[in-house]
Each structure stands twice: as structure tokens, then as C-alpha cells.
Amino acid sequence: MRAKSFFAFSLLAAGLTASDLETDATPGLRLNQVQVVGTHNSYHREPPAEATAWRQSEFVRQGAPSLAALATGYSHVALTEQLSRLGLRQLEIDLHPSEDGHDFPVLHHPVFDDVSNVPTLRAALREIRTWSQAHPRHVPVLVQLELKIRRVLPGSPDDPTLRERLAALPAPREWDAAQFAALEAAIRAELAATDLLTPDDVRGEAPTLRDALATRGWPLLEAVRGRIFFALDNEGAVRDRYLGPEQDGRGRLLFVSVPPDHPAAGWMKVNDPVRDFARIQDLVRRGFLVRTRADEELREARADDGTRRERALASGAHFISTDFPEADPRYSDYAVRLPGGVTARLNPVVGEAKSNSSAEH
């Protein structure tokens, strides 16, 4: 443990925090010793004024107040541009259940917020794969998948166009075993096994993923450059159905956000780096990967307030998600990038974190 801690401090002393781990050689550095920036709802394009008016109508305010309250005034460039020009290494994609058992629509909410820079999961995967193959030494890209469940709004809207659009939607589907199987099949059809980093890859021969992290830790960064890995945004019932009866995640393709003592524990979603700053640092020191959010619902951009962003960066969370990888002049100069504009840097908490080989779980 002392040797690993000394190595981490040596990296800090050598100035690697100001270097770019995307391009630097990283002997001995592990995946969980890196910090990157990514995007929330990476596919999202701002909806047209008509859809915004529908979402703010009395019909929606009464039937789905959370939908009416959403802040949708932000847009992301194409996934390839996010990965290349902006140097992002974490993406988030919202999926709706498959109607054909083959592919999955990518959008936020049907009708009310449905403009996307990529139409389907397979199209997104092909775009990511093409970029990845052209940049084989990239820091692994985390693709976070949120599985959406559409609920039918009560009543009927006064607006005839909205009424017609809602009536044309397919009947809602649940995320069940067949949907999960189709989801994993779609990923494996577009990405080769050598493109992927899965929970089983990290688990190896250990009884559980949690045990593997407590003994061996995360793989070396040099061993997993060029890989893509997936995490399930959903918690609760959808996550538990995905894990199946054994609940240990064995054989599953997606990392899941679970409590630290769970056998499938490896990656955690902790969205508030201000309220949960100490919790994030504790999880990082214990060897877990953590994703947090630097901003939410346009609040930080409108106020040009970097407080949450700075706490996110200092927390040691490995993936800092934002709606503003570059500023939107309609709001302010607010944007989220790593210091020096690098793609990946040494995790700021790694020097004081416990060794991966002796993490306390």
C-alpha cells in the first residue's frame, strides 16, 4: 500500500496533473486513477418552440409536473465531435424500449423533447466505434445508458396537433428480460469483444466484482486504452431486473450503480458533488469509479456559477458530467473542462486514496 501511495504522490510531484493522460505514457497507472469530463444527455438537441409550449401547457403541468419543469434549453454537437474536438470521455444516452427487438430509439421524451443528434443506439455505437478505431490509444470511454419508461398522461390535450402526436405513439413497453437481452445483443453486434471492457473482465476469477476490486483493483490504463464500457444509469427496480435473480451481475455487460457492499459494486452514480462531496471522496479512496454532475437544469450556466463544477472536479469523481462542455453565450461563459484543457488528468484524490490492491470495502 505504501508503495502505491508513493507512486501516486510521485506522479503529482512530476506534474502529471498538468499533462494529458490521453497522450502521455502511463506505466503503472490504473483506470481509477484518471479523471475525465463527459456530457449529460449527450444526444440532446434543444426542442422546437412548439414542443416547449406543449410541455409548459396546463395539460402537462397537471398530468406530469416533473416533465413541465424540465430545462431543455441546451444542445450538444455530434458524438464524434464531442469525442474528438472537445475531448470528452464519458457519454450518456437515453434509450426507449425496442419495438422490433433490434434497435432502440435515442431521445429524451417523445413529442415534448425528442430532438436527438443520433437516432438510435446502433447508430450511436457505430459512430463511437468509428472514432475509437481511429484513436486506438484513447482513454476508455464510459457510455452511460438510461433506460426510459414512458407513462401515458391522463386526460386529453386541447391542442389537436398534440393530441394527434400523442395518439400516434406506440403503447408503452417495460424493460423486461427480452428488452435487456436485445440491448446487450445490439451492443455486442456493433462492438467486438476486444472493443469492450465488461464487469466480467474486471472480475476475472474473483467471486464478485467487489472482491476483485478489493484484491486486484482496476486494470492498468495501458491495458485498456481504446476500450469502451457501459454503465446503467437506472437504479431501483429496473436495475434489479437487469441484474437478475443472482444479483451479482455475472455475465452482464453493463456496470451498475449499487451500494458499496453489493457484490456487483464497481461504478457509482453520485450526482450532487456539493451535498455528497465527502461521500464521493470516500468511494474514490475505496477504489470505486464515480460519476457526478457539474451542473443541472441550466442553473449554473444561467448564474455563471462555478461552485458545483469546482466541487465536482475536486471530489475525485472520475467522470464529471455537464450540459456545457463549451459555453452557451445565451447564458454566460460557464463551461466545464479539465484544467489546462486536457482530455484526461491524474485523479486529484488518488494521492491520498487507498491502494487498489488493499481497498477497504
Side-chain angles (χ1 to χ4, degrees), residues 284-302:
V284 169
R285 292 182 183 123
R286 295 170 68 183
F288 297 112
L289 295 182
V290 179
R291 177 264 196 175
T292 196
R293 292 183 64 177
D295 41 76
E296 192 171 9
E297 300 295 340
L298 309 183
R299 286 189 291 265
E300 286 73 22
R302 283 172 169 157

Side-chain angles (χ1 to χ4, degrees), residues 94-251:
D94 288 353
L95 303 179
H96 289 255
S98 175
E99 294 295 322
D100 61 6
H102 173 75
D103 208 348
F104 298 80
V106 173
L107 66 148
H108 202 203
H109 289 280
V111 178
F112 300 105
D113 189 15
D114 61 358
V115 186
S116 174
N117 63 28
V118 64
T120 67
L121 172 63
R122 284 181 178 248
L125 295 176
R126 287 192 289 271
E127 189 172 346
I128 295 167
R129 180 192 66 206
T130 299
W131 173 85
S132 177
Q133 290 175 345
H135 303 82
R137 278 190 52 78
H138 68 78
V139 168
V141 173
L142 172 66
V143 181
Q144 193 168 326
L145 300 178
E146 182 175 356
L147 310 185
K148 291 287 191 177
I149 300 175
R150 181 172 65 85
R151 302 302 182 195
V152 176
L153 294 174
S156 178
D158 294 331
D159 186 301
T161 305
L162 175 56
R163 189 163 58 245
E164 181 180 345
R165 290 282 305 277
L166 291 176
L169 293 174
R173 290 175 177 265
E174 293 289 338
W175 288 94
D176 57 17
Q179 292 283 338
F180 295 140
L183 172 59
E184 293 197 343
I187 295 172
R188 292 190 185 279
E190 298 296 338
L191 298 173
T194 52
D195 297 327
L196 296 169
L197 177 64
T198 71
D200 283 348
D201 292 333
V202 180
R203 179 185 297 108
E205 298 302 317
T208 68
L209 177 59
R210 180 173 169 273
D211 290 325
L213 295 180
T215 54
R216 291 193 313 276
W218 290 93
L220 293 172
L221 178 58
E222 287 297 318
V224 293
R225 286 185 179 275
R227 302 287 188 93
I228 301 158
F229 62 122
F230 294 82
L232 180 65
D233 181 272
N234 305 68
E235 298 174 317
V238 172
R239 176 200 62 202
D240 293 345
R241 286 201 301 272
Y242 175 73
L243 287 174
E246 299 301 323
Q247 290 291 298
D248 63 0
R250 186 174 296 276

Side-chain angles (χ1 to χ4, degrees), residues 4-76:
K4 183 68 68 63
S5 296
F6 175 77
F7 174 70
F9 278 118
S10 296
L11 288 172
L12 287 167
L16 272 180
T17 50
S19 300
D20 194 339
L21 299 180
E22 179 87 356
T23 55
D24 289 350
T26 55
L29 195 69
R30 294 185 180 270
L31 178 59
N32 65 310
Q33 292 176 287
V34 176
Q35 186 179 62
V36 299
V37 170
T39 43
H40 163 253
N41 290 347
S42 308
Y43 58 88
H44 190 267
R45 301 293 296 175
E46 187 171 347
E50 183 181 42
T52 300
W54 287 340
R55 189 172 50 79
Q56 295 173 347
S57 67
E58 189 63 22
F59 167 71
V60 175
R61 289 179 182 277
Q62 291 295 322
S66 61
L67 174 59
L70 279 178
T72 60
Y74 64 98
S75 294
H76 291 304

Side-chain angles (χ1 to χ4, degrees), residues 40 71 271-274 293-312 321-324 327-328 331-336:
H40 163 253
N271 283 340
D272 190 337
V274 176
R293 292 183 64 177
D295 41 76
E296 192 171 9
E297 300 295 340
L298 309 183
R299 286 189 291 265
E300 286 73 22
R302 283 172 169 157
D304 196 12
D305 183 359
T307 302
R308 180 167 172 164
R309 173 188 63 203
E310 299 311 313
R311 293 299 274 175
S321 182
T322 179
D323 289 328
F324 297 96
D328 186 329
Y331 303 123
S332 69
D333 292 332
Y334 176 87
V336 180

